[in-house]
Amino acid sequence: MVELSNIRKSFGKLPVLNGVSMNIAGGKIVTREIFVNGQNIKDNPVYRHLIGYLPQTTRFPENLSVREFLRMIEDVRMAKGKSGELLSLFALDRFLNKSLRNLSGGTRQKVNVVLSLMFYPSVYIMDEPTVGLDPVSRVRFKELLKKEKENGKTLLLVTHLLSEAEELADEIVFLMDGYICYHGDPKVLMAEQKENTLEKAIAGMMEVSTQNSNPNINSR
Amino acid sequence: MLKIFKYSFYDVLRSRWTIIYFLFFFISTLSLLYLSNNLSKAITSLMNIILTIIPLISMIFGVMHYYNSRDFIDLLLSQPVKRKEVFIGQYLGLSISLAAGFLLGILIPFLFYGLSVSVDVWNFAVLAAAGVFLTFIFVALSFFISLLNDDKIKGFGIAILTWLYLAVLYDGMILLVFVSFNEYPLETPALIFTLLNPIDLSRVMVLLQLDISALMGYTGAVFNKFFGTTGGMVLSMASMLIWIILLLIGINKVSSKKDF
């Protein structure tokens, strides 16, 4: 469903992805724990109809209202989004006519979430989607993601919350210094490390690899 | 492109900075008209304000707008639209709303005052056109500069220095060159130097229309001598259009290759 091959990205002189390759099958949630994140966009706009992207930052045009902003993205995608249910699910109805400048960070993040979900695309790319969400919305959002996963959608989640990764992901990709440190089933990793949380399992794995002078990092 | 333009136009038009920009032109035009009580004089003074302020504000607005919408641009780039449309749409949204603020700001006081159906209408129209051209050129220049610089402070600094260079230093440097080479025929270099600076171009355009030879300076006089009033006007307008087109091509080139 999603294939990355030899992706490189650097911010200025700082490389953050050093030739990362991976395959993600449909109907799975994959999370990446990374220290810096980057993504690749080719100049062929049509395939982006398949993608719902949730950016990490929520600095949208300040003087547009929520309604106008959602309509703008609908116009740009030339598709009608199913925003009605989502808006009431995240209690955004009463903000529809407020301009984005006057919304709190959490509310903006909810707008961001609605925006990425409302077209029900086949691939989701979400960068720290739950940051700033209140507990109720967070639970509802995760439910939605699980439902979408059951519908066979591909979800690529970038998160630093390992509890979230453990709860949602079928497969994790752990990146460090631009290289893949671990790619696989989180349950397998937890079993291997004999830990009951993903956080501890990853910490355990990291300790071992630092003791072995970190072959992953020095291999290239 | 039109879709992005439409929403970005709404967005910028409602920004309080656009309103302040409008009020600035409104108040200065109104006071110039009522203090000088003379249309031609007011137009000349207004010209000097326009030639300095529009490039400066367009440059600052452009740079600020670009860096403020960086995250939003990322979001738009993840949507099924071409890069070209994203940037040109944003560019048109910003320049047209700034141009609208400026036009309304000078038009309303003139209408209040009573723009008599005389030669002044044309003077006014040419002045307004010069302002609009400058807005489009300097917003494009600011987008170009910010696209080339991811560092906000650096982009801002380069934009301000470019403005300072074109608005203030350029004429002084040309004068220095002309004084040093005054034994040589300087008509052609003078023409070329004028074409290379949009602020000079618009000054020449307005002064040719106002027909004030005392203010025209050397380059204006050369323009007048070579092309006459009409020819000079056409040439200066065409050159400003070329400026806009070249900058837009530059924006397209840089944005299509840029790694966001």
Side-chain angles (χ1 to χ4, degrees), chain B residues 35-48:
Chain B
L35 288 178
S36 66
N37 225 347
N38 176 328
L39 265 174
S40 309
K41 264 189 193 159
I43 286 180
T44 322
S45 318
L46 198 57
M47 177 194 80
N48 285 319

Side-chain angles (χ1 to χ4, degrees), chain A residues 34-218:
Chain A
I34 53 173
F35 294 97
V36 195
N37 161 54
Q39 92 259 11
N40 175 36
I41 296 167
K42 257 175 77 189
D43 202 27
N44 166 24
V46 183
Y47 78 101
R48 296 192 203 123
H49 274 294
L50 302 171
I51 297 176
Y53 171 59
L54 185 146
Q56 188 177 8
T57 42
T58 54
R59 281 173 53 190
F60 303 135
E62 291 192 332
N63 304 301
L64 294 184
S65 69
V66 175
R67 189 193 301 276
E68 283 170 329
F69 182 53
L70 294 179
R71 200 177 296 150
M72 172 182 191
I73 301 298
E74 283 181 338
D75 279 0
V76 167
R77 284 182 91 111
M78 288 187 284
K80 196 97 188 78
K82 295 180 197 105
S83 57
E85 269 169 56
L86 290 168
L87 287 170
S88 43
L89 191 67
F90 291 106
L92 281 173
D93 291 321
R94 63 199 169 95
F95 296 107
L96 268 178
N97 293 319
K98 287 237 166 92
S99 61
L100 287 156
R101 180 194 8 212
N102 300 325
L103 300 185
S104 70
T107 315
R108 272 193 225 194
Q109 182 63 12
K110 290 202 252 177
V111 174
N112 202 4
V113 163
V114 170
L115 193 73
S116 62
L117 288 169
M118 69 182 192
F119 298 99
Y120 294 97
S122 36
V123 178
Y124 292 88
I125 300 176
M126 302 183 146
D127 194 350
E128 304 282 1
T130 55
V131 169
L133 287 187
D134 58 274
V136 179
S137 311
R138 198 180 281 224
V139 169
R140 287 182 178 167
F141 174 64
K142 285 188 208 162
E143 290 305 314
L144 273 172
L145 289 192
K146 285 177 192 162
K147 214 184 279 171
E148 281 296 278
K149 181 176 79 166
E150 279 157 25
N151 291 339
K153 305 292 181 67
T154 306
L155 292 100
L156 179 68
L157 231 67
V158 180
T159 182
H160 71 282
L161 297 167
L162 292 172
S163 55
E164 211 157 74
E166 190 184 333
E167 185 188 343
L168 293 166
D170 302 301
E171 212 179 310
I172 63 161
V173 178
F174 186 85
L175 288 173
M176 198 172 145
D177 295 340
Y179 295 104
I180 296 180
C181 277
Y182 178 80
H183 182 182
D185 191 329
K187 291 188 191 75
V188 173
L189 181 68
M190 276 147 70
E192 265 174 19
Q193 297 289 329
K194 300 189 186 68
E195 296 284 3
N196 56 358
T197 66
L198 182 60
E199 192 161 32
K200 283 183 190 160
I202 290 207
M205 183 186 78
M206 294 303 299
E207 266 166 35
V208 175
S209 62
T210 350
Q211 278 159 17
N212 299 344
S213 75
N214 212 339
N216 278 319
I217 290 167
N218 298 329

Side-chain angles (χ1 to χ4, degrees), chain B residues 169-182 186:
Chain B
L169 300 179
Y170 196 83
D171 290 345
M173 282 163 64
I174 288 180
L175 196 66
L176 215 65
V177 171
F178 285 178
V179 170
S180 336
F181 294 96
N182 65 357
L186 289 168

